[in-house]
Structure formats: structure tokens, C-alpha cells
Amino acid sequence: MSLPQSAGARSGAMGAGMEQVSSWSRDIRFISGLILLAFATSHFINHAVGIFGVHAMEQVQQWRYWFWHTWPGTVALYGSFIVHPFFALLRVAQRRTFKMPAREMLQIALGLAIPLLLVDHIINTRVAGAYFQMDESYHSVLRRLWPHSALTQSLLLVLVWTHGMIGIHFLLRSRESYRHWRDVFLLGAILVPLLALIGFFVAAREAQLMGLPPELVTPAQQAMVAFNVASAKAVFYGLVGCFMVFVAAREVRVRTTRQITMRFVGHGTRRLVPGPTVLEMFRRFGIPHAALCGGRARCATCRVLVIDGADTLPKPGPNEAKLLRRISAPDRVRLACQIRPRDDLQVQILLASRLNATPGRTLEPDATLGRRDLTVMVADLRAFSALSERQLPQELIGLLNRFFDEMSQAITAHDGRIDAFYGDGFMAVFGLEGPLAKAAQAAIAAAADIVRAVEALNREFGAALPLPLRIGIGIHTGNAIIGAVGNDNLGRREITVGETVMIASQLESATRRVLSDVVVSEDTIRAAARSYPGTTALKVAIKGRETPLAAFGFASAPEVSRRKRGDEAPVAATAARSGDGPAAEPAASEPGSDPTET
């Protein structure tokens, strides 16, 4: 019994060691990649200045040399140029399956193709200038490259920039703040290479027309440059070959060793050799899963619940432990991309699993998913049950169709979106685009149009209705989660969830008790920064909250108070006085009204 135990201990220690290596190698790869991208960005911006001429390029080049030609800049740049590809190859070699999303495959392919073109560029510019005293200024380099190397240099620029932008995009897209400047990022990602190419073409043609004498390059110098280019390429692709041999030898070895049993709740049992991460197992066996960051421990979408065998796994590495603490993950929850089981294990996917998803598909959250401040409206027809008992089915459905048509027009007219229809009610959201103040104002204005539309329906169908239509509307502003759900059978639906939706629903329920058509929370009134006449201050009890919520009731369609020129603007006065008196300001409230608690 002692022998298997020691083997398990050695296995666990080996797994913990791999976790530590994977953690710090990811950080080194990330930092070196940022250094290379910073250099490429400054270099391409320098190219873009070529639109204004070669002289302008050389002026900017002097500023750029101020850092990159110093010893710290040189060490950082060429150190990153060596370290980044090495650790990138190491990560690829650590993969136990090469089934991956197309974006990851594209990034790896670009990383392998870039050195093929980049080595020529570096040796013919920086190395040639340092060791053969060749001129590195733009007017000389451009004459060397144009026109016979123009195509390859342009291709190199596009490959480097695309590789870097893919990495930055998938690094940042799991951050909630990214959506605010994603469009700016996309614009910069397009403009920088485009302007760089234009500047390169314009300046290169100008350099050819300068009529400068040709550079004097001896045959020995040409031979030395060619030898350096061939040697550098041989070293890099020899390293790639070594990694391929390592992967092949590892596959031969693991296929002759013991197998473990993996149980995936809802997806059957598989036997395989130890080594792959759980995320790689999902990809190998075509199990639908989420992996927003591609297995880099930067998101928690691939997390799983370890049902059996958790004690055999090594402890989380620094990056995994930090992320699990950030999301307050309970015990036995781990990141599928970071655990490499060496003994039998049973896991359950916790996020975005769909039984009828396309086999092998990586389920990624929608780009619009996230938290944001919104204004939510919940509306419901009152006494609808009594109305449905006295109407013929055809008449009732026709009335509902007309009702929802009017409601949809009122919502869309104020840039809102209806998220759900349910029975005789609906929920709508405002603020998906634009500032929060505009969203709050739009929701209240839409509520006024809805009340007027119901009054118009009563006039139109009054003779056919046993009792008039009445509507209750609750509006609240706060933080909510938006995203998309659905499957292949039901399709895709945009939804909004969270406490803000629950509060809006309870405000709608409160309209029955306070005899108001519309109940708006103080938060919405404050966000709207406007005052509304004819309101009644309320205190609404909210489930799950100890203190009631300040709100305001409207007995009719809300209207913005009109002020004479010279009057002080009653901005958010309604919200500010909610705890002491009726509503926004004395003239905007019902005389003598007191806060009503419901």
C-alpha cells in the first residue's frame, strides 16, 4: 500500500510543479508580448508619419531611438524576442490535444510564420547597422526594401499586428470595462496598420526619387548577412522541430502508460491517459463548454465542480487561486483549464453547458454580456383574470394583440427594448445605448405614452368591454446583467436579470395597493434629473430588504414640470425630498400629501 501512495504523492508533486511553471511562464509570455507589441506599435506609427515625407519619418525615428537604442531598451526588446517565442512554443508543447477554436489556431499559425519574415528584416536593418556600419536611417532602409521587398514587408506588418491584436482582444474581452472602449480599440486596430502601409508606400517612392548614390556593400558583407539570416531561421525552426519531437515522444510514452477514468456529469465516462487539462478533455471529446480566455486562467467561464477525486488534485496555482478568490468560488470548484488529473475524477460543468450544442464547439459568452446601469420597466394589465372570464377567446386575443402592439410602439419610440411578454404584461429595458439620465427620462416618458394608449383603447373598445382596462407600471434604475440565452430549438433571446428587475416588478405590484398607474423609484427620478408634478411620495417594502424603498406614485400619465424662465431648476428635487415630504417640490406635489408606506 505504501508504493501506490508514494507514486500518488510524486504525481501530485509533479502536477503542482507543472502548475507553478505554467503560472509564471504565462506571466513571462504576457509581459514579453506587451514589450514586443509596444515596439511594433511605435514602429508602425513611425511608418504612418511617412505620409508627410521621409524627413518627418526620420525626425520621429530619433524620438523612437531615444529608448529602443539604449541598453535597457535593447535588452528588453531582444530579450522579449527570444523569450516570447520560446514560452509560446512551451505552451503549445504542453497541450495534450490540438482541437481548439479557430482563433487560437490562427494565433499559433501567425506566431510560427512571423519569424520567417522578421529575421530578414532585423538582420538587414539593426544587425547590419550595428556590425557592418550600414545606414539605418529611413531614406537608406526604404531604398533597400523598395520595391523588391515591399510585398514581404507589408505582409510582415499585417501578420505582426494581427497576432498582437488577437492576443490583446482575448486578454481584455472578459473585462467588463472593455465594452466601453471596444469600438475605439477596433478603430485603432484598423487605422494603425492601414496608415503604416500608406506611409511606407509614400515614403519609399519618395526615397527612390531622391537620387542618392547607391550603398556600397561588399560581397563579404552580403554573404555574412545571408549566413546570419539562414542561421537565425535554422535556430528557430530547429527549436520548433525539437518541440514537435518532444510532443511525438510524449504521445508514444503516455499511450503505453496507465489510464484514468474521467466522469463528466451529463456527458458520460471516458478513459484516457493522464496529462491533458480538463478543458483539453472537453475539446477532445466534443463536450460543449465555455472558455472565454482560451485556457489562460484569466476568466472563470470554464470552471467545474469536482464531485469526486478533489483530494488527488494539486492545489491551485497563483493565477487560479487569485481568480477563484475574486469570484468567491466555493470549495471543490476549479478551473478546467488549470487542472491536469492524474487519478480518476468526476466533474460537472458549471457554466454555459448545452446538451444539443454542436459537438466540439467552444461555447463563448455573448459579446454584449455584462453588468451595466439600466432602467427597467415592468407593466401588467389589472383585473385581467376577471376580464378573460367575460370575453370570448377570439375577442380576448385580439385585444391583447392590439394592447401589445401599442405597448411596443411606445417602448421603441423611446429607444427601449422589450425583453419579455408574459400573459397580460411585459418587461422593457432602457439605457442599452446612451447615458443613464436619458434612459430614466425615456422610461418615464414611455410610461406616460402607455397610460395614454390604454386610455385610447378604453375609448375604442369601451362598448365591448365589461370593465375598463387599467395598467400598473413599475420603473426602477440600477445595475443589471444583460446577455443572450437560447438553444437551437427556441432560438436566441436577449434577456435582462438581476435585483433591478425584481424591484421594478415589486413596484408594479405596489400600484394596486396605492391606486397609482405608475410607481417610479427614487433612484430613477434622481437619475432623470427632472421633477414631475402630481406625484405621491411612497415607501415600498421590498422582499429581501430591511428598509423600504423610496418611490413616487403617478395617478395619471407622468408629465415633466414646466418652469418659467428665471426659476431655479428643480433638478432631482423630487428624489432629494423623498424622506421628508411628498415629492419633488411644493408645487410639484399634491397639497398636504404625506409619504405612504406600502
Side-chain angles (χ1 to χ4, degrees):
M1 294 297 293
S2 60
L3 183 60
Q5 186 176 6
S6 62
R10 289 195 302 271
S11 173
M14 190 190 320
M18 290 188 64
E19 292 291 335
Q20 295 291 336
V21 171
S22 177
S23 176
W24 59 258
S25 67
R26 189 202 76 169
D27 295 336
I28 292 176
R29 190 174 67 247
F30 171 67
I31 294 172
S32 60
L34 286 182
I35 294 173
L36 293 175
L37 183 60
F39 174 81
T41 303
S42 65
H43 197 39
F44 297 162
I45 292 175
N46 201 164
H47 283 6
V49 178
I51 295 174
F52 304 102
V54 176
H55 179 70
M57 292 180 77
E58 293 181 339
Q59 291 296 319
V60 176
Q61 185 183 42
Q62 295 303 317
W63 299 343
R64 192 163 54 87
Y65 280 178
W66 178 81
F67 176 74
W68 294 113
H69 271 213
T70 61
W71 275 109
T74 300
V75 171
L77 177 60
Y78 287 98
S80 299
F81 182 70
I82 295 172
V83 167
H84 187 74
F86 176 81
F87 281 100
L89 286 174
L90 181 62
R91 181 174 183 271
V92 173
Q94 287 177 336
R95 289 178 176 271
R96 299 306 179 97
T97 179
F98 288 93
K99 290 183 178 180
M100 65 187 79
R103 61 173 178 80
E104 292 186 34
M105 193 174 299
L106 174 62
Q107 194 173 19
I108 293 174
L110 290 175
L112 293 175
I114 287 171
L116 185 64
L117 302 173
L118 187 59
V119 167
D120 295 79
H121 182 74
I122 293 175
I123 292 179
N124 280 283
T125 54
R126 187 72 179 270
V127 175
Y131 293 98
F132 305 127
Q133 288 73 49
M134 295 179 68
D135 191 359
E136 293 184 64
S137 61
Y138 264 108
H139 68 268
S140 295
V141 174
L142 289 174
R143 291 169 62 209
R144 273 181 241 149
L145 298 178
W146 187 270
H148 60 277
S149 296
L151 181 60
T152 57
Q153 295 303 302
S154 301
L155 179 60
L156 173 62
L157 187 151
V158 173
L159 293 181
V160 169
W161 189 252
T162 303
H163 180 74
M165 290 301 100
I166 290 175
I168 292 295
H169 171 68
F170 288 105
L171 166 69
L172 298 177
R173 71 171 185 167
S174 60
R175 300 176 184 268
E176 186 177 340
S177 59
Y178 181 45
R179 67 179 179 84
H180 295 296
W181 49 277
R182 183 176 53 209
D183 293 339
V184 177
F185 173 83
L186 178 61
L187 180 62
I190 295 173
L191 284 181
V192 169
L194 180 61
L195 294 177
L197 288 173
I198 295 174
F200 171 60
F201 294 152
V202 171
R205 290 173 63 87
E206 180 184 342
Q208 291 296 316
L209 298 176
M210 284 182 174
L212 298 175
E215 289 185 303
L216 297 178
V217 182
T218 66
Q221 288 177 331
Q222 292 179 341
M224 182 61 69
V225 168
F227 174 76
N228 289 335
V229 169
S231 300
K233 291 181 179 180
V235 169
F236 177 76
Y237 288 105
L239 187 62
V240 173
C242 290
F243 274 100
M244 294 178 64
V245 171
F246 167 76
V247 171
R250 183 191 62 196
E251 289 299 312
V252 172
R253 182 181 62 84
V254 297
R255 292 181 186 279
T256 60
T257 60
R258 67 184 183 90
Q259 292 187 329
I260 61 174
T261 300
M262 288 294 302
R263 295 178 176 85
F264 305 101
V265 175
H267 300 282
T269 301
R270 305 286 194 279
R271 285 188 60 81
L272 73 163
V273 295
T277 64
V278 174
L279 178 62
E280 290 172 335
M281 296 178 189
F282 291 156
R283 291 174 173 175
R284 175 180 295 182
F285 299 125
I287 297 175
H289 60 281
L292 186 61
C293 70
R296 295 172 175 84
R298 295 193 183 113
C299 70
T301 54
C302 70
R303 61 184 181 270
V304 295
L305 174 64
V306 182
I307 298 175
D308 187 28
D311 54 338
T312 65
L313 295 173
K315 294 182 179 180
N319 292 317
E320 182 185 6
K322 179 180 178 181
L323 188 56
L324 292 175
R325 284 194 303 269
R326 194 178 79 187
I327 65 173
S328 301
D331 295 338
R332 302 162 68 88
V333 170
R334 299 291 300 271
L335 300 184
C337 63
Q338 298 299 303
I339 54 177
R340 297 179 182 271
R342 296 191 172 275
D343 295 286
D344 296 350
L345 201 69
Q346 184 176 10
V347 298
Q348 178 180 353
I349 298 175
L350 294 179
L351 184 64
S353 176
R354 284 192 354 218
L355 296 179
N356 60 343
T358 303
R361 175 185 175 189
T362 300
L363 300 177
E364 301 178 354
D366 188 84
T368 60
L369 184 146
R371 290 182 177 272
R372 65 179 70 180
D373 291 329
L374 300 169
T375 298
V376 177
M377 171 193 293
V378 175
D380 187 74
L381 280 176
R382 297 179 186 168
F384 183 74
S385 298
L387 183 65
S388 62
E389 293 175 357
R390 304 181 188 181
Q391 293 288 102
L392 294 174
Q394 295 85 348
E395 295 176 345
L396 185 66
I397 297 302
L399 177 63
L400 281 178
N401 282 329
R402 181 64 184 280
F403 168 75
F404 286 132
D405 182 56
E406 295 290 341
M407 301 306 103
S408 297
Q409 292 183 40
I411 298 299
T412 55
H414 294 279
D415 298 323
R417 182 186 78 190
I418 294 182
D419 267 21
F421 285 110
Y422 43 87
D424 56 342
F426 64 90
M427 183 187 81
V429 294
F430 300 81
L432 296 172
E433 301 291 341
L436 188 61
K438 182 179 178 182
Q441 296 165 10
I444 297 174
D449 287 350
I450 290 172
V451 172
R452 297 189 194 99
V454 171
E455 293 172 352
L457 288 176
N458 280 326
R459 290 192 294 269
E460 182 177 348
F461 293 95
L465 295 175
L467 49 100
L469 297 174
R470 293 294 302 276
I471 193 167
I473 301 173
I475 301 174
H476 180 59
T477 298
N479 195 259
I481 299 173
I482 63 170
V485 297
N487 57 32
D488 296 337
N489 296 326
L490 300 178
R492 173 191 172 95
R493 291 182 56 192
E494 305 288 339
I495 66 166
T496 305
V497 296
E499 186 185 41
T500 300
V501 177
M502 180 271 293
I503 293 175
S505 178
Q506 295 197 33
L507 292 179
E508 183 276 320
S509 299
T511 60
R512 299 173 176 83
R513 302 192 295 272
V514 301
L515 302 180
S516 295
D517 289 335
V518 182
V519 174
V520 183
S521 71
E522 180 187 46
D523 295 327
T524 302
I525 296 292
R526 182 184 296 112
R530 292 181 178 178
S531 59
Y532 299 84
T535 61
T536 302
L538 306 170
K539 296 290 186 180
V540 181
I542 301 296
K543 294 180 181 178
R545 287 192 174 189
E546 296 182 358
T547 58
L549 180 73
F552 297 88
F554 294 81
S556 59
E559 297 285 351
V560 179
S561 62
R562 298 180 179 179
R563 304 185 304 276
K564 296 180 180 180
R565 181 174 299 179
D567 291 347
E568 293 184 359
V571 175
T574 302
R577 300 166 61 102
S578 62
D580 300 325
E585 52 186 353
S589 307
E590 294 181 352
S593 62
D594 295 318
T596 304
E597 185 167 350
T598 65

